[in-house]
Amino acid sequence: MARVLVVGAGLTGGLCAALLLRGGRRGLRGLRVAVWEAARSPGGRMNTSSDPHDPNCTADLGAQYITATPYYAEKHQSFYEELVSRGILKPLLGSVEGITIKDEGICNYVAPQGISSIVKYYLGDSDVLYNRHVTRINLKEGKLEVCCDSGPAEMFDAVVLTMPVPQMLKLQGDMKTQITTDLDKRDLPHCLDVDRRMNSRPSVCGP
């Protein structure tokens, strides 16, 4: 059975894991998906903090609302409809002080249960381990050996990196050599896809 590791439990990692699992149910049989997150909770830049004395008192520390332009509202319509139907998102009917409306037809959404509830929803069916900071990825016997600073190394058939590019560049092992070589050549065929602003996109590593 093929094992896939998604590194990072932010929105990109959560959605990636969910789509892989949904693909498995639609025909990609024999696929096991694990998610490793360096922090102690999911969310990444979409983090919601709770008062330790009152769990009903929360604050979004990252994004406070989601903005859908007409283009992306149409392109990702099924995702918005799913989240709204599940009560994860709801339209923001009030005004936001200081916001600048650049395009007509923009729709803003809020997450009543906190912005991290979006990530938690997508991670719902995944095997997620927290406090797993990936430090090294090596090629070994046709598979990827993934090491972290807590717990033993494990073997996977594929690894999807969703953390920011500067964190990817800190990885040690064979994958560091591959990433560095690809960056030097400006040829990123299968391991890393980076835009000029150094933002990260899902990066798939395979033997």
Side-chain angles (χ1 to χ4, degrees):
M1 180 178 290
R3 297 189 71 204
V4 178
L5 173 65
V6 177
V7 181
L11 179 60
T12 303
L15 181 57
C16 178
L19 292 176
L20 285 170
L21 288 170
R22 293 176 187 184
R25 288 193 287 268
R26 294 172 183 168
L28 296 175
R29 299 184 182 277
L31 187 65
R32 294 178 57 194
V33 179
V35 180
W36 285 7
E37 166 58 45
R40 59 183 181 182
S41 60
R45 296 176 182 176
M46 300 180 71
N47 186 33
T48 301
S49 180
S50 299
D51 186 324
H53 305 293
D54 183 2
N56 294 319
C57 181
T58 63
D60 290 323
L61 303 182
Q64 286 84 42
Y65 58 92
I66 304 294
T67 298
T69 63
Y71 172 78
Y72 285 108
E74 180 179 358
K75 183 176 182 180
H76 300 149
Q77 180 179 0
S78 62
F79 293 100
Y80 288 112
E81 290 179 347
E82 177 183 356
L83 292 172
V84 170
S85 67
R86 298 298 178 90
I88 307 298
L89 288 181
K90 62 182 294 187
L92 174 59
L93 302 179
S95 60
V96 179
E97 184 177 350
I99 190 172
T100 300
I101 304 298
K102 298 181 179 179
D103 300 311
E104 294 294 331
I106 283 180
C107 182
N108 292 314
Y109 296 91
V110 292
Q113 303 169 56
I115 202 71
S116 66
S117 64
I118 303 173
V119 180
K120 293 176 182 178
Y121 171 75
Y122 286 127
L123 288 172
D125 295 328
S126 300
D127 179 15
V128 187
L129 293 177
Y130 298 104
N131 297 312
R132 288 289 183 100
H133 178 213
V134 174
T135 57
R136 177 183 297 269
I137 302 177
N138 291 317
L139 295 172
K140 190 173 183 179
E141 299 177 356
K143 293 184 180 292
L144 293 166
E145 180 187 51
V146 183
C147 306
C148 65
D149 56 7
S150 62
E154 294 189 32
M155 306 297 292
F156 295 91
D157 296 283
V159 177
V160 182
L161 305 176
T162 70
M163 64 278 218
V165 170
Q167 293 181 28
M168 293 184 192
L169 297 177
K170 292 180 181 179
L171 289 173
Q172 300 299 309
D174 298 327
M175 204 49 58
K176 178 179 182 179
T177 302
Q178 181 67 57
I179 291 173
T180 303
T181 300
D182 288 343
L183 282 174
D184 289 341
K185 293 180 178 179
R186 296 296 189 270
D187 177 19
L188 314 177
H190 71 283
C191 184
L192 191 61
D193 184 10
V194 187
D195 68 21
R196 292 182 179 180
R197 294 172 297 171
M198 290 298 284
N199 289 325
S200 65
R201 301 174 183 174
S203 306
V204 181
C205 303

